[in-house]
Amino acid sequence: IVHAHFGLTAWPAVLARLGPVVVTLHGNDLLVRRSYLATRAVLPFTALTAAVSREFSANLPGAGTKRRVAVLPVGIDLHRFRPIPRAEARERLGLDPAGPYLLFPHHPSRPLKRYDRAVEAAGDVPLLTLGNVPPDEVPYWINAANAVLVPSAEEGFGLSVIEALACGVPAFGTPVGIHPVALHGIEGAYCAPWDRDAWRAALRPHLEASDPRVDGRARAQLFSADAMAARVVEAWHDLLAA
């Protein structure tokens, strides 16, 4: 089996003719028109199409009726994404230990992530971003923040809120992708449609607290890399047995 990730990479996987091709679709391969057209064209040549969330799979015509679509999320590394003392994280990054800070965990240029909304929610509070941050440094930026803001217009999955929960940091997300499932019932987390005033009101207790934390580690464990890898292996076995 050759397992490709993102629609465009399915083309070389199919053309190599090394075995049945599985392709996992992640976001822009279906949400951006140019990628969408190339992705749709290759799918008839693949043995199995997968999406990173059930909601995202709805972008594929016939999903669940005329087309079999597996749901295979990408998990997170729980050893890397872990609670780090906020003072330690801020010292490492050269931030004011007294804060407060908010984090937009993407590059501001990505339109679907809605940096403009995060700026509105933050108001006068410094808003950190992850534009060019090395991957190994990301957990420090998450732990340095009073809360992580993910006010996306759309999400394929939504790893950022899972990463925040794994670090014990309050995560705020719009109800897209995995956000409703990941954040539901976590005291201190927030999942609601975008409304600047409502988001600011929900953020206020976290901004006033010296070390705001949430009990999200157990929820994040449901989406660990090991757990998600096991689902992929199961899908491979089912495909070979068919």
Side-chain angles (χ1 to χ4, degrees), residues 28-78:
N28 285 349
D29 36 18
L30 293 181
L31 299 177
V32 175
R33 178 171 173 76
R34 182 171 57 183
S35 298
Y36 174 81
L37 295 175
T39 297
R40 285 286 308 277
V42 77
L43 295 183
F45 304 104
T46 63
L48 177 64
T49 301
V52 289
S53 70
R54 188 174 303 278
E55 180 192 72
F56 178 59
S57 71
N59 289 284
L60 281 166
T65 55
K66 299 179 180 179
R67 181 196 304 272
R68 180 194 173 200
V69 178
V71 178
L72 300 177
V74 176
I76 70 164
D77 183 349
L78 290 173

Side-chain angles (χ1 to χ4, degrees), residues 8-242:
L8 297 181
T9 65
W11 277 109
V14 167
L15 294 173
R17 297 184 179 181
L18 297 175
V21 172
V22 178
V23 58
T24 297
L25 308 178
H26 288 258
N28 285 349
D29 36 18
L30 293 181
L31 299 177
V32 175
R33 178 171 173 76
R34 182 171 57 183
S35 298
Y36 174 81
L37 295 175
T39 297
R40 285 286 308 277
V42 77
L43 295 183
F45 304 104
T46 63
L48 177 64
T49 301
V52 289
S53 70
R54 188 174 303 278
E55 180 192 72
F56 178 59
S57 71
N59 289 284
L60 281 166
T65 55
K66 299 179 180 179
R67 181 196 304 272
R68 180 194 173 200
V69 178
V71 178
L72 300 177
V74 176
I76 70 164
D77 183 349
L78 290 173
H79 298 289
R80 187 155 64 94
F81 291 97
R82 67 199 187 281
I84 299 170
R86 188 160 277 116
E88 176 186 336
R90 291 184 176 182
E91 181 179 8
R92 182 184 180 100
L93 301 176
L95 300 174
D96 181 355
Y101 292 96
L102 295 169
L103 175 66
F104 176 74
H106 303 285
H107 195 288
S109 65
R110 298 180 64 182
L112 292 179
K113 302 300 183 181
R114 297 304 300 266
Y115 177 66
D116 58 320
R117 291 176 174 177
V119 170
E120 284 193 61
D124 295 332
V125 178
L127 180 62
L128 310 173
T129 70
L130 294 182
N132 297 301
V133 174
D136 288 343
E137 292 294 299
V138 171
Y140 290 94
W141 289 87
I142 294 174
N143 279 280
N146 291 57
V148 172
L149 306 183
V150 194
S152 309
E154 294 186 76
E155 284 283 354
F157 181 69
L159 277 174
S160 295
V161 299
I162 307 293
E163 293 166 351
L165 293 179
C167 294
V169 174
F172 280 52
T174 42
V176 295
I178 201 66
H179 294 176
V181 174
L183 301 179
H184 177 72
I186 304 291
E187 185 175 355
Y190 186 77
C191 184
W194 168 247
D195 179 283
R196 188 197 67 176
D197 294 338
W199 277 54
R200 283 187 176 182
L203 278 170
R204 190 172 300 117
H206 298 313
L207 296 174
E208 293 173 350
S210 60
D211 190 21
R213 294 285 176 172
V214 297
D215 186 10
R217 186 78 177 174
R219 183 67 53 81
Q221 287 174 343
L222 299 176
F223 303 96
S224 72
D226 288 343
M228 297 302 99
R231 292 181 61 162
V232 172
V233 172
E234 183 179 356
W236 290 347
H237 283 305
D238 290 345
L239 179 60
L240 292 175

